[in-house]
Amino acid sequence: MRVPWWRRIIRGAIVVAVLAAYQPVRAEREAARGNVDWPHIGNTTNQQHFSTLHQINSATVRRLRLAWSLAEGPNLTLFEDTPVVVAGIMYLTTTTDQVIAVRADTGRRLWTYTPTVDFLRQMMSGGVVQPVNRGVEVANGHVYLVTYDNQLISLDAATGRLEWRVVVADPIRYYEQSPPTYQGGLLFLGEAGIGLGVRGFVAAFDARTGRLRWRFHTVPAPGHGWMSAKGRTGGGDVWMPVTVDAATGILYAGTGNPTPDLVNRDRPGCDQWTDSTLALDAKSGRLLWGRTQVCPDVWDYDSGQSPMLLSLRWRGKLTSAVGEGSKAGRYWIFNARTGATLTVSPFLGTQTMPRPIPSPRGPRVCPGIYGSLEYSPPAYSPRSGLIYLPGLNLCTLDRSLSPSSSGQSPSVVAFGGTARSAPGRPSGFLAALDPATGHIRWQVKVPGPMIGGALATAGDLVFSGADDGHLYAFDARSGAILWHPSIGLGVGGAPITYMVHGVQYVAIAA
């Protein structure tokens, strides 16, 4: 059997695969000779993951061919980077926190920065065993990186030279996965913890020096509010980049579940502000409003996405809104100023209702701890007025610790039990949501979980990759699958698109 062209190039490697519109006609080349970047993970700071480029569209998408690929390394299981492109240069990160700068049209490497990162110490304390890095922020000639062991680093964008480095949190109790957000001379970032009483937070740092400006903890201190004085409760991690509205000065963050994840004997109730969308004053870190999506939570149902800013017509008026998805499988739209709930989607993905409470018997829970809507960035197209939600169908057997359990590892205690995949074949989907009504316009099932994220374009296409080894292009209005080449690797990052010398490219980390 003839080996697909993708597999001949990338077999056995983690890659950034970039595709270009194959031999664009002369008129297309002459009509658009300039460059169009993808300067932030969400392209713009509103996190819509939308591009105005349309050279690649329903008529041309089947002509895509491989432009170049770059091996990240063999025998790796996670690669969740979303590259950014600034002035025709692509900046990407590896699972070991390396930053690589390449020519976005050819893949030619320009420089590599390899930080010194202590992976072992945090893993030994019961933290995440498989580190990931989801990308960098680039602003004003600087590349900003956050490492697994909580270093915030500034590099010269032209050379990769280290400019400064600060530690933002205790590297034993906390870790980082996602880049900071730049706005108005400040770098805003969230923090994740390993449980055992760790409190999630959002913090602001001076972009010139790395000096801390403010820090807002998403849950109370031990012994206050719902937090146990024993030091075992915690949570409210901020997994993805925060979103800052430059016009209003409001910062939006999505927060993770309370801990221990699977038992709430020591934390009954809603556990503010976990599983929530929060709005903070970006200058001071003062809480403006918060809305909780899951109450109570004993299923690890984070609201882990980066909040998305959009405008929609609500009751006849153009309204500023902010949207965010929950692992429970619903997407929420709030008034961006007040936090009032505007619309809520129906539950997406496989659901067991009423939802069973985790117990020592290990009941089947759908969605499982991986959720239905993961950290996966959705995309919004102002052309169709729809939000595109990649998701997964995967149930788990959630076995909680009994009160008499002893001798468990710190990670099991922090989690409150164990969870493993339930029998059955996991799958994925892409759903198109009307944010003004909360209705699902269409939903398409795919053979593998769709986790990495989505990209919408003015070519009326939606791109997203899945764990079945395919990169999909959907018709933005109907959901029809127009193109789905096999790349032979699961996808954990969101696709991006950009233009160099009049040619549009689509890039994906797999």
Side-chain angles (χ1 to χ4, degrees):
M1 185 176 69
R2 187 170 179 268
V3 178
W5 55 272
W6 280 95
R7 297 197 178 207
R8 292 201 305 271
I9 294 170
I10 66 174
R11 178 182 291 161
I14 304 296
V15 304
V16 175
V18 185
L19 304 100
Y22 183 60
Q23 295 180 346
V25 298
R26 183 176 180 181
E28 288 176 333
R29 293 197 304 268
E30 292 180 352
R33 290 189 176 277
N35 291 1
V36 178
D37 291 335
W38 186 277
H40 307 279
I41 280 185
N43 192 17
T44 58
T45 54
N46 55 23
Q47 297 289 355
Q48 290 182 2
H49 289 259
F50 174 79
S51 170
T52 57
L53 295 175
H54 53 81
Q55 188 181 91
I56 300 173
N57 52 52
S58 58
T60 62
V61 67
R62 292 179 180 86
R63 291 192 277 145
L64 290 174
R65 298 293 186 269
L66 185 70
W68 56 265
S69 64
L70 177 69
E72 201 269 356
N75 304 318
L76 296 174
T77 57
L78 296 176
F79 191 23
E80 298 179 1
D81 177 63
T82 297
V84 296
V85 177
V86 177
I89 306 300
M90 177 184 290
Y91 301 90
L92 57 106
T93 58
T94 72
T95 56
T96 53
D97 296 334
Q98 279 188 319
V99 183
I100 303 174
V102 301
R103 282 278 303 272
D105 55 343
T106 65
R108 181 171 68 85
R109 191 178 299 230
L110 302 176
W111 55 259
T112 300
Y113 172 77
T114 305
T116 301
V117 181
D118 188 344
F119 293 97
L120 182 61
R121 188 163 60 146
Q122 212 262 28
M123 290 180 185
M124 292 291 287
S125 66
V128 173
V129 176
Q130 296 172 310
V132 297
N133 190 298
R134 297 194 176 112
V136 295
E137 178 79 307
V138 180
N140 301 325
H142 308 284
V143 176
Y144 298 105
L145 167 74
V146 185
T147 65
Y148 180 77
D149 63 351
N150 300 293
Q151 300 175 69
L152 174 60
I153 292 173
S154 176
L155 307 175
D156 181 275
T159 65
R161 178 182 58 84
L162 175 66
E163 295 173 328
W164 53 259
R165 173 175 49 204
V166 298
V167 176
V168 301
D170 180 353
I172 296 180
R173 303 174 72 236
Y174 290 94
Y175 58 92
E176 277 285 0
Q177 295 183 326
S178 297
T181 298
Y182 175 87
Q183 183 62 55
L186 295 178
L187 296 169
F188 303 93
L189 59 86
E191 190 75 19
I194 64 169
L196 295 175
V198 172
R199 304 162 68 201
F201 66 78
V202 179
F205 297 84
D206 190 297
R208 294 176 300 172
T209 64
R211 183 173 64 87
L212 176 68
R213 288 290 187 87
W214 56 258
R215 192 186 308 264
F216 172 85
H217 283 96
T218 58
V219 299
H224 295 78
W226 62 269
M227 286 277 283
S228 167
K230 300 175 184 178
R232 282 195 170 184
T233 52
D237 302 321
V238 180
W239 293 103
M240 292 294 285
V242 302
T243 304
V244 183
D245 187 338
T248 63
I250 299 178
L251 177 152
Y252 302 91
T255 65
N257 57 273
T259 58
D261 305 47
L262 299 185
V263 292
N264 67 342
R265 287 186 292 269
D266 295 329
R267 52 168 188 83
C270 284
D271 305 326
Q272 288 184 326
W273 288 107
T274 62
D275 298 326
S276 299
T277 303
L278 303 182
L280 309 178
D281 180 272
K283 289 185 178 180
S284 65
R286 178 174 59 90
L287 178 68
L288 303 177
W289 58 259
R291 294 293 179 268
T292 301
Q293 279 87 55
V294 181
C295 169
D297 181 13
V298 288
W299 304 282
D300 197 298
Y301 283 164
D302 305 330
S303 294
Q305 297 180 353
S306 292
M308 175 194 294
L309 299 175
L310 66 156
S311 296
L312 57 83
R313 192 157 294 280
W314 172 252
R315 295 179 178 174
K317 295 182 179 180
L318 197 62
T319 302
S320 297
V322 57
E324 185 173 29
S326 162
K327 283 168 62 177
R330 306 183 85 183
Y331 197 85
W332 299 69
I333 304 291
F334 303 104
N335 183 300
R337 295 272 191 166
T338 67
T341 301
L342 302 181
T343 61
V344 186
S345 78
F347 283 103
L348 296 168
T350 304
Q351 300 280 340
T352 49
M353 294 292 186
R355 208 179 307 281
I357 302 297
S359 72
R361 293 182 296 126
R364 179 187 178 95
V365 180
C366 307
I369 63 164
Y370 303 105
S372 174
L373 301 177
E374 252 285 358
Y375 67 86
S376 326
Y380 171 72
S381 171
R383 288 175 55 84
S384 67
L386 300 177
I387 296 175
Y388 301 96
L389 303 168
L392 64 156
N393 301 301
L394 197 160
C395 305
T396 54
L397 305 178
D398 292 358
R399 189 182 305 276
S400 65
L401 291 178
S402 66
S404 60
S405 296
S406 61
Q408 301 288 342
S409 70
S411 60
V412 170
V413 172
F415 192 67
T418 60
R420 60 185 180 90
S421 297
R425 190 177 186 87
S427 62
F429 62 84
L430 185 74
L433 169 71
D434 184 339
T437 64
H439 296 158
I440 300 298
R441 290 280 189 87
W442 52 258
Q443 185 172 175
V444 178
K445 187 176 179 178
V446 296
M450 194 163 263
I451 295 176
L455 158 69
T457 75
D460 288 332
L461 296 174
V462 181
F463 291 89
S464 189
D467 274 358
D468 65 356
H470 288 263
L471 173 61
Y472 291 84
F474 301 85
D475 183 285
R477 300 191 184 269
S478 69
I481 297 174
L482 303 177
W483 182 74
H484 62 294
S486 172
I487 57 178
L489 296 167
V491 174
I496 69 168
T497 189
Y498 56 92
M499 180 172 281
V500 180
H501 302 315
V503 178
Q504 185 182 352
Y505 298 77
V506 175
I508 187 75

